């Protein structure tokens, strides 16, 4: 009786082991490696679709979906289709945390975007702790230290890199002194610090700096102060208030050469009028005269523009970061043969001077430094005119 | 050029900025004098006027006069809708008579949300003006016609409404109703009608403000909240319910901010109004002009 019971138990136990083993093996596909679960690969993205940053969310979502569609059209990742799982951070820190937790629960394999600053600061630790790789646009340097944030990668220029082309551009124009203006938002104040320091380091004197409140309707007093400084080069380091700035320049009759932030594409560029020929902006990405973007990048731009229903100035920035994030992830997964976070980041940390969507945009990641974008990728562009997809023209191409 | 030599320019610029706050404060006071309600959506109604100006002038290419009339009428109607569905339900119930505080705030958030859905996905674009962009100089001080228009609108509206509330039967009736709806009702006044007129006039001011401010700030939908706050600070400094004091406080607030920015910088400009407010309320808790009347029982 006892022997029969033991035999029966052994058979049941063996059957269980066999069943578990079968279940485990069936959860792995042979499509591209035994570390990739069957079915579509879920990509998480957190956009600000409501609240104070909601102006940014829809274009980012359109770009993210267009990039996903393009990856799928090109065969997916290791033969797996890719699906975008979107959550709204409601433009709040707690909304960002909830969205990140929801996507972790959804078992996404990778984050292609996790919110507009400052929400990134809240969402980042959640997904880093979950061990899910995130490859995304991050303008501040918080997560660039790979030893502290092993799963977070920045695939676009941060604010400090954004000023890289400033000094060479001004020197090429023979500029020896400039004045600067910024608004009092944290982003503008930080950028202004970087920009003014970079041009000073190049021997260009910043003779006067003024600032303005983002809600100001009249900037004539500030502009008169700048005009009196005796230079015809203005660094517009503001991220809002371009309309009032152009109004004040016209009211005071001052017509300087202007070098602006990338925000200039989005804010009142239609008011430039006769300032346009002498106004440039740090565009980071654009198209050099006589050149064109790679076909796949243009396809993503066109699809995103169609989803938005209108031309969005400087949309290429979103495309560059979203599409490259997916291509970088695809490369890492296919090389690792796995979607496991640990396996993927091992490959990501070996990427060196490699380009993905565009041969002109190169990336280098190391285990210590997760800012993969190379500063020399950045450029100065005209602010207007833009092409039909809102892409500016590079003016400092080598 | 020293900062001191730019002082007259800073004062003129501050008067123009203060005029924007003044138009919001005036709108607050008009509805307050008619209903006893602070319409916290007043700044966002100005934003609606601003965006409608863009739609009328840039999209539909309407003549400026037609656009102006259209904007004022539509914003006034929105304000009337607010009175009917957001404010009146609280005014008719005595036990819940400050519920309007949350409901007008909610209406303000709703306006911003709708504006975001309609316009938030588009780049900020300039709004044209019938006045030139260039300024002119008088005795070395810069004047900008587009900004003087805001100051002019404030002066015309404040003088007009001062006369209306002090010299007309309807104006006096509205103030009496705000003081005591029940007593006014017993004397034959229809408090609902008075509330409608108050919100209609508040909307009219917001529409005018949106139209004259539009060319100065482009299609920025984020201005509503800041105008609501700055207008409210001016109102608190001047004293609730006093039109003239509210307008003067708004102009002084604008000048104080502008002069502070000239000599110190814009980093702490937002603190200027709040410091003035704290000082004023510390010395006179009812604001510079207002004294609370004891209610007769």
């Amino acid at each position: 009786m006892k022997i029969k019971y033991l035999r029966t138990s052994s058979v049941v136990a063996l059957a269980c082991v066999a069943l578990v083993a079968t279940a485990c093996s069936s959860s792995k596909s042979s499509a591209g490696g035994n570390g990739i679960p069957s079915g579509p690969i879920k990509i998480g993205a957190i956009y600000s679709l409501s609240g104070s940053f909601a102006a940014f969310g829809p274009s980012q979502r359109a770009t993210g979906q267009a990039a996903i569609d393009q990856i799928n059209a090109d065969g997916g990742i290791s033969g797996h289709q890719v699906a975008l799982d979107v959550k709204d951070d409601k433009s709040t820190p707690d909304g960002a945390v909830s969205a990140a937790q929801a996507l972790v629960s959804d078992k996404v394999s990778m984050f292609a975007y996790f919110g507009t600053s400052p929400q990134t600061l809240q969402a980042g630790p959640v997904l880093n702790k979950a061990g899910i790789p995130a490859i995304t646009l991050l303008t501040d340097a918080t997560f660039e230290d790979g030893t502290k944030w092993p799963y977070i990668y920045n695939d676009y220029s941060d604010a400090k890199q954004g000023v890289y082309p400033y000094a060479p551009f001004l020197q090429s124009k023979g500029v020896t002194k400039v004045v600067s203006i910024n608004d009092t938002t944290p982003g503008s104040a930080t950028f202004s610090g970087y920009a003014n320091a970079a041009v000073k380091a190049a021997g260009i004197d910043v003779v006067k700096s003024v600032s303005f409140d983002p809600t100001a309707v009249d900037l004539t007093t500030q502009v008169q102060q700048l005009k009196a400084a005796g230079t015809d080069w203005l660094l517009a380091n503001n991220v809002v208030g371009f309309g009032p700035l152009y109004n004040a320049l016209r009211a005071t009759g001052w017509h300087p050469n202007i070098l602006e932030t990338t925000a200039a594409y989005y804010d009142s560029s239609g008011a430039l009028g006769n300032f346009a020929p002498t106004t440039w902006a740090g565009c980071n990405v654009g198209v050099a005269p006589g050149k064109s973007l790679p076909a796949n990048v243009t396809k993503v731009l066109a699809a995103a523009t169609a989803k938005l229903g209108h031309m969005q100035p400087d949309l290429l920035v979103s495309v560059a970061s979203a599409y490259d994030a997916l291509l970088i992830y695809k490369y890492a997964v296919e090389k690792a043969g796995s979607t496991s976070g640990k396996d993927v980041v091992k490959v990501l940390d070996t990427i060196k001077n490699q380009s993905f969507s565009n041969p002109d945009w190169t990336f280098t990641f190391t285990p210590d430094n997760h800012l993969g974008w190379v500063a020399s990728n950045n450029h100065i562009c005209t602010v207007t005119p833009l092409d039909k997809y809102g892409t500016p023209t590079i003016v400092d191409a080598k | 050029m020293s900062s001191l030599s730019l002082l007259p320019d800073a004062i003129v610029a501050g008067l123009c900025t203060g005029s924007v706050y003044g138009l919001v404060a005036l709108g607050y006071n008009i509805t307050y004098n008619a209903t006893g309600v602070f319409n916290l959506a007043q700044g966002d109604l100005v934003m609606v006027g601003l965006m409608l100006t863009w739609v009328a002038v840039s999209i539909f290419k309407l003549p400026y006069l037609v656009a102006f009339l259209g904007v004022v009428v539509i914003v006034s109607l929105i304000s009337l809708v607010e009175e009917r569905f957001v404010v009146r339900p609280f005014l008719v119930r005595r036990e819940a008579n400050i519920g309007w505080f949350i409901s007008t705030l909610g209406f303000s958030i709703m306006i911003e949300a709708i504006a975001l859905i309609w316009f938030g996905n588009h780049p900020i674009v300039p709004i044209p003006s019938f006045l030139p962009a260039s300024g002119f100089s008088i005795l070395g001080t810069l004047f900008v016609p587009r900004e003087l228009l805001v100051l002019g609108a404030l002066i015309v509206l404040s003088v007009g409404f001062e006369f209306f509330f002090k010299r007309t039967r309807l104006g006096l009736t509205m103030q009496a109703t705000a003081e005591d709806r029940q007593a006014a009702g017993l004397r034959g006044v229809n408090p609902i009608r008075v509330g409608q007129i108050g919100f209609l006039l508040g909307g009219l001011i917001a529409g005018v403000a949106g139209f004259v401010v539009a060319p100065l700030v482009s299609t920025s939908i984020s201005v509503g909240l800041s105008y609501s706050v700055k207008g409210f600070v001016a109102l608190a400094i001047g004293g609730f319910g006093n039109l003239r004091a509210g307008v003067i406080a708004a102009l002084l607030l604008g000048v104080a901010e502008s002069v502070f920015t000239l000599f110190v910088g814009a980093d702490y400009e937002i603190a200027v109004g709040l410091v003035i407010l704290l000082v004023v309320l510390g010395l006179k808790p009812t604001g510079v002009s207002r004294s609370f009347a004891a209610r007769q029982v």
Side-chain angles (χ1 to χ4, degrees), chain B residues 262-273:
Chain B
L262 174 64
F263 289 106
V264 183
D267 289 340
Y268 297 100
E269 185 195 289
I270 194 163
V272 173

Side-chain angles (χ1 to χ4, degrees), chain A residues 230-319:
Chain A
T231 175
D232 60 352
W233 275 90
L234 168 64
L235 299 187
N237 296 329
N238 46 312
V239 297
V240 294
F242 284 94
L245 175 62
Y246 303 143
N247 283 343
L249 289 170
R250 289 199 170 89
T252 55
W254 188 35
H255 194 133
N257 301 289
I258 314 171
L259 182 53
E260 305 180 319
T261 64
T262 55
Y265 292 104
Y266 193 79
D267 184 350
S268 304
S269 61
L272 267 173
N274 62 338
F275 291 128
T278 53
T279 301
W280 300 270
C283 58
N284 299 349
V285 290
V287 182
K291 291 186 81 176
S292 55
L293 291 166
N296 280 2
V297 175
T298 305
K299 276 186 196 171
V300 178
L301 263 177
T305 304
K307 283 179 195 298
L308 281 170
H310 62 87
M311 185 270 267
Q312 178 90 0
D314 213 21
L315 188 65
L316 185 59
V317 172
S318 296
V319 169

